[in-house]
Amino acid sequence: YSVTEIRIPPVLRQEAGGQKSVQVEATTVRGAIDALVDAYPALDDRVRKGDGVPSFLNVFVDGEDIRLLQGLETPVGPGAKVLLLPAVAGGS
């Protein structure tokens, strides 16, 4: 396991105890999200859906969209930064 930083967007911070980022030990994005939910159970429905993540939630590892990598099985190495980014709806 390596220490990974998960960046928490403002819209999810209330469920994460107000944290801007959380350090977790994980080897994959799935493990990082599981560790985040273990620490902050209120985030469960916001960051997990079935065997994946909700369609409105984009997940990036070191700036790369996990959908273009290995999805939730994308490895996270020491010092990796995982960004949870809810999709923004709207437009004219």
Side-chain angles (χ1 to χ4, degrees):
Y1 289 95
S2 59
V3 175
T4 299
E5 178 182 357
I6 301 181
R7 299 277 177 99
I8 310 294
V11 70
L12 297 178
R13 286 185 190 151
Q14 182 176 349
E15 289 89 345
Q19 301 296 312
K20 290 183 179 182
S21 66
V22 176
Q23 303 282 327
V24 297
E25 289 189 0
T27 57
T28 64
V29 172
R30 181 184 308 278
I33 289 175
D34 288 348
L36 177 66
V37 170
D38 286 348
Y40 300 99
L43 283 170
D44 192 14
D45 290 344
R46 305 288 302 271
V47 299
R48 289 196 296 206
K49 180 170 179 143
D51 194 38
V53 295
S55 58
F56 64 82
L57 185 67
N58 298 308
V59 182
F60 296 84
V61 173
D62 294 330
E64 295 196 54
D65 190 331
I66 66 166
R67 290 177 291 195
L68 304 175
L69 301 170
Q70 298 172 48
L72 289 174
E73 302 315 316
T74 300
V76 291
K81 291 189 178 5
V82 175
L83 173 64
L84 303 178
L85 190 64
V88 177
S92 55

